[in-house]
Amino acid sequence: MSSHRKARSSNHPLARRALGLGLFAAGIAGAATAVPAQAATGASHAAFASDHVFSHADRAHHTRAEDSFTVRQFGTVNAAGVRNQANAVSAGCSADDHCRSVALSFQIVTIAGERTHLNAVNLSDAANKECTGCQTLAGAYQFVVSTPAPLTLDADTRRRLADIHRRLDALTRSTLPAGELKTRVDGLAGEVSAVLRDAVAHAPKADAQPTVTLHRHLDGWPGH
């Protein structure tokens, strides 16, 4: 696996496989953690990952922007729990002295197995606290790649994803208007999905079909 650096969940599937919701795994602001586990007998495999991005703007720091782009390759597992979360806060600014806070998290997870049980949580929350005229946006994008046999992302796939990551960094720290920012981040998410679909197209064939599922949630900005 590799890592580059009041909440609600939303599922927006590109392709469906049975997904269970309900995992809670505490995250640390800006941190990305993953813990694979194997029973002593070797008969059961489980994997867990939690990625969390937090941004806080206030009078002392008027502009804050944080993003995460994480790839988790778990291989064959019987069970997996994954959590992706973005939180943005703007506090104590005014219409004449407004704040801008942006938090975006992209999480990619690959799992393999014929009957894998998956708990997936994708959350975002944006809050303006006594912050008239502030701009606050939190976006969580979770991509789950499910294949019958283990899939290892090749060098070309990793290169394409790294390029998207660089452009996400630039967008997160841009001063684009809200509407354009959301549209362009959604565009990057579409590119990630296309890259992953290309990758699974070359995955080993089996009775079960490989799938790419996107969970997307955006919260905040004026108007929420």
Side-chain angles (χ1 to χ4, degrees):
M1 73 186 68
S2 63
S3 174
H4 303 282
R5 165 88 154 125
K6 191 163 83 190
R8 301 186 294 271
S9 64
S10 172
N11 293 347
H12 194 77
L14 300 177
R16 292 188 177 276
R17 189 171 186 178
L19 299 176
L21 300 179
L23 172 75
F24 182 88
I28 300 175
T33 60
V35 181
Q38 180 175 352
T41 62
S44 179
H45 301 262
F48 308 94
S50 179
D51 296 291
H52 183 197
V53 172
F54 177 73
S55 175
H56 184 278
D58 54 31
R59 292 175 183 173
H61 305 283
H62 288 78
T63 301
R64 288 298 196 189
E66 300 290 343
D67 68 78
S68 174
F69 191 103
T70 308
V71 180
R72 309 291 189 191
Q73 298 187 76
F74 286 137
T76 301
V77 293
N78 293 335
V82 292
R83 179 184 180 90
N84 185 44
Q85 185 169 348
N87 293 90
V89 176
S90 294
C93 300
S94 66
D96 296 329
D97 189 28
H98 63 78
C99 295
R100 177 183 176 106
S101 181
V102 177
L104 299 170
S105 183
F106 279 41
Q107 182 191 62
I108 300 169
V109 178
T110 70
I111 59 173
E114 296 289 345
R115 295 179 177 84
T116 302
H117 177 71
L118 174 65
N119 288 331
V121 173
N122 189 59
L123 308 170
S124 69
D125 180 69
N128 282 349
K129 298 180 178 180
E130 300 179 356
C131 204
T132 304
C134 292
Q135 300 177 346
T136 312
L137 176 68
Y141 295 79
Q142 184 182 60
F143 307 82
V144 179
V145 180
S146 180
T147 54
L151 172 68
T152 300
L153 301 179
D154 61 21
D156 182 62
T157 298
R158 296 194 302 271
R159 178 190 58 77
R160 294 168 68 187
L161 292 175
D163 176 66
I164 296 171
H165 183 197
R166 285 190 293 270
R167 286 183 284 143
L168 176 66
D169 284 341
L171 273 180
T172 303
R173 289 155 181 77
S174 73
T175 58
L176 290 173
E180 186 177 352
L181 178 61
K182 292 178 181 178
T183 297
R184 291 180 63 177
V185 174
D186 276 344
L188 291 184
E191 289 188 43
V192 172
S193 295
V195 170
L196 296 176
R197 285 197 299 268
D198 287 346
V200 301
H202 300 95
K205 300 298 184 292
D207 292 337
Q209 294 298 310
T211 62
V212 178
T213 303
L214 167 62
H215 302 149
R216 168 191 178 274
H217 193 264
L218 281 169
D219 187 40
W221 222 268
H224 284 65

